[in-house]
Amino acid sequence: MELTPVTALGLVAALVGFELLDRLRGAIAAESGGRADDGPSAPPADVSPLATDLREHVWKWVIPGLLLVIVALEGNSLASIGWRVDSVERLIFQIGIGLAVMLGMNILFSPLWARVGDGGESLAAGLGTFASLSVPERLFVALTAGATEETAFHGYALERLLALTGNVPLSGGIAFLAFTLGHTGDTWDRDAVARIAQPALVTTLLYLWFRSLPVLIAIHALNDAVGLLLADRFVVPDDGGGPADGRDPEAAERATSAADGDDSDALGWLRGE
């Protein structure tokens, strides 16, 4: 395979597209706000964190949509970005194996991660920000992460790098680094991203094993869903000792329970203790 301008554009979109999209939207928002106001103003107190603004997750679908257009311009099929399913039985089997590997690695390495960086506190805090979302909203976030990130970093980037270089370690390493660094932002700090590097590496290796994008989308989404459905256990109370702000009254009640003492147990669960 030769590197054409279209494929080069696709690699840029796949490897750094999410970051570029965020910066572009941020610049447009800043420019729009600058014209509307002559001076700085504080954001409204009821503004939700970016992680819980579902619009932020909807925008992520722009990248796989762009990549599908690029695949069509290349004259390639969806199979060229890993859309391969041998059979329903094999699909279910691979999803089960992959999810077991993901969750098993989380349990196996939790004691090690508990002694690295902040011991998982920043990751727990990041998960806690999703407690204000309803269960369907959390599942949407999990599905979005699985579908958009796997399509970009593995389905397109890894497959194209393999076709261009034939070098599995190099291609996998680039995809893994882009996947990991792509999570740096307002929700996840450096310590949390270091922890996220583990599932990023595991999903990269699983993709190289299965070479099936639908399988990895399902594994990624299900793994994220487990953490997001337990987000209530990681809520950090505000300075007044109450629960963090949320749109769901039930989430606020659950957050109060976490503030009364469950959060230490939750952090222990995250650490594998």
Side-chain angles (χ1 to χ4, degrees), residues 9-11 13-14 62-72 81 151-152 156:
L9 175 62
L11 286 172
V62 169
I63 300 303
L66 174 61
L67 291 174
L68 290 179
V69 172
I70 289 174
V71 170
I81 58 171
T151 299
Y156 191 91

Side-chain angles (χ1 to χ4, degrees), residues 145 185 191:
D191 288 317

Side-chain angles (χ1 to χ4, degrees), residues 24-263:
L24 176 61
R25 292 178 58 222
I28 293 175
E31 181 69 17
S32 175
R35 287 195 300 267
D37 297 309
D38 293 330
S41 60
D46 59 348
V47 171
S48 301
L50 289 179
T52 60
D53 186 344
L54 292 182
R55 292 171 299 180
E56 296 295 320
H57 301 279
V58 171
W59 271 104
K60 293 183 68 175
W61 289 91
V62 169
I63 300 303
L66 174 61
L67 291 174
L68 290 179
V69 172
I70 289 174
V71 170
L73 292 175
E74 291 173 332
N76 289 318
S77 67
L78 291 179
S80 72
I81 58 171
W83 199 264
R84 312 179 187 99
V85 177
D86 295 332
S87 67
V88 175
E89 293 79 7
R90 186 169 179 80
L91 174 73
I92 295 173
F93 174 76
Q94 290 177 330
I95 292 173
I97 291 295
L99 187 60
V101 170
M102 289 284 289
L103 297 178
M105 295 292 282
N106 290 341
I107 295 173
L108 180 64
F109 284 96
S110 286
L112 173 62
W113 284 113
R115 293 164 176 78
V116 176
D118 63 2
E121 293 182 3
S122 58
L123 182 61
L127 286 171
T129 62
F130 292 93
S132 63
L133 299 180
S134 66
V135 169
E137 288 171 335
R138 296 184 210 185
L139 294 178
F140 170 74
V141 171
L143 174 62
T144 294
T148 62
E149 293 172 11
E150 291 300 327
T151 299
F153 297 117
H154 294 144
Y156 191 91
L158 184 49
E159 287 286 356
R160 290 296 180 270
L161 289 170
L162 282 172
L164 289 167
T165 68
N167 190 318
V168 174
L170 175 62
S171 302
I174 293 174
F176 159 69
L177 287 175
F179 192 120
T180 303
L181 296 177
H183 284 82
T184 304
D186 295 318
T187 304
W188 312 112
D189 64 11
R190 182 172 56 185
D191 288 317
V193 170
R195 180 76 179 266
I196 291 172
Q198 177 194 304
L201 177 60
V202 174
T203 53
T204 300
L205 294 175
L206 286 174
Y207 185 84
L208 289 171
W209 179 12
F210 296 137
R211 296 294 292 275
S212 174
L213 183 58
V215 169
L216 263 295
I217 288 175
I219 293 171
H220 187 152
L222 289 170
N223 181 73
D224 283 10
V226 171
L228 293 178
L229 291 176
L230 294 172
D232 304 302
R233 304 181 64 183
F234 307 108
V235 172
V236 178
D238 58 22
D239 294 337
D245 290 338
R247 295 178 290 104
D248 185 354
E250 294 181 1
E253 182 179 352
R254 292 190 293 266
T256 301
S257 175
D260 288 338
D262 291 341
D263 49 347

